[in-house]
Amino acid sequence: NRWKPEEMHRSIAHPGAWEFIGQLGAEGFDKLHFMRSGDPTQRLYPLREVGDDETMPIMGPGLGDSEKGWEVTGNPHSNFQARLWAQDCAIFVELKVEPRPAIVFRTLADTARDTYQLVGSFCDWRLAQAVEFTSPDPARPGLFAATFQMGQAYREEFQIIVNWNVSQVYHPVVAGKPGRSFA
């Protein structure tokens, strides 16, 4: 429906949850995200669009990447159900297309709301080849690290991407100037 907001209703079967029941189109495909009160600046969306990978965390609420959404696939004109709820400081999204079992996604832990990727000359600036930051020391929450291999010139340039979204980037104010501050 070209990202037109649809009304969700409180679930009778699952108290505290909101749900939407829809029908796939003739292609057997739809894509969706959630907005609080129809506000696009309060969207919930997957970190990356990867089909039914339940390990892919829910991001937001926030503006984020407006084209990201959960892919719902099945037989053409199949009924599907999208359910949203919060429990124990986490947000859950459940997607079900008849006759397959439901798939459930959830937010990251409180301490890891965002993910960070390192992209640069070492990977030809291809986001698909970016290096994921990890949190190597549980005793130092908020400290992230990433490693990459230096090229033969022993000089690489890079940027830090937030949540695989190229519109959320940390980079030096002046390109190619080692030791300069990040913007």
Side-chain angles (χ1 to χ4, degrees):
N1 71 12
R2 305 255 183 226
W3 297 114
K4 178 182 156 267
E6 298 281 352
E7 188 78 24
M8 295 185 75
H9 302 281
R10 287 199 178 270
S11 173
I12 296 170
H14 302 277
W18 291 84
E19 57 189 15
F20 172 77
I21 297 173
Q23 189 177 58
L24 296 177
E27 298 84 29
F29 173 84
D30 209 339
K31 191 166 152 181
L32 58 94
H33 58 241
F34 298 88
M35 291 188 299
R36 182 175 167 190
S37 302
D39 182 352
T41 66
Q42 296 188 52
R43 293 177 55 254
L44 297 174
Y45 52 93
L47 174 62
R48 287 193 288 173
E49 296 170 341
V50 290
D52 59 0
D53 182 356
E54 293 184 20
T55 65
M56 193 54 54
I58 298 169
M59 304 307 292
L63 190 57
D65 185 342
S66 63
E67 292 300 313
K68 284 186 180 174
W70 284 277
E71 296 176 355
V72 183
T73 59
N75 293 325
H77 307 291
S78 294
N79 290 329
F80 74 90
Q81 181 179 41
R83 185 176 295 137
L84 173 72
W85 75 94
Q87 177 182 336
D88 299 327
C89 300
I91 297 172
F92 296 85
V93 167
E94 179 183 273
L95 303 175
K96 180 166 180 32
V97 180
E98 296 295 338
R100 296 186 309 214
I103 301 168
V104 179
F105 303 88
R106 65 169 292 149
T107 53
L108 293 169
D110 288 342
T111 58
R113 292 286 304 181
D114 291 315
T115 65
Y116 301 93
Q117 298 75 42
L118 191 64
V119 66
S121 55
F122 61 91
C123 66
D124 293 326
W125 297 96
R126 292 182 303 221
L127 187 57
Q129 304 299 318
V131 175
E132 285 272 0
F133 277 85
T134 61
S135 187
D137 186 355
R140 297 175 70 186
L143 173 68
F144 295 91
T147 59
F148 61 89
Q149 187 166 349
M150 295 289 285
Q152 291 181 353
Y154 298 104
R155 176 188 158 93
E156 301 288 346
E157 293 186 9
F158 65 89
Q159 296 178 349
I160 299 169
I161 309 291
V162 181
N163 300 329
W164 294 96
N165 185 344
V166 294
S167 67
Q168 297 181 20
V169 180
Y170 292 108
H171 55 81
V173 175
V174 179
K177 299 283 185 176
R180 300 289 183 196
S181 64
F182 274 77

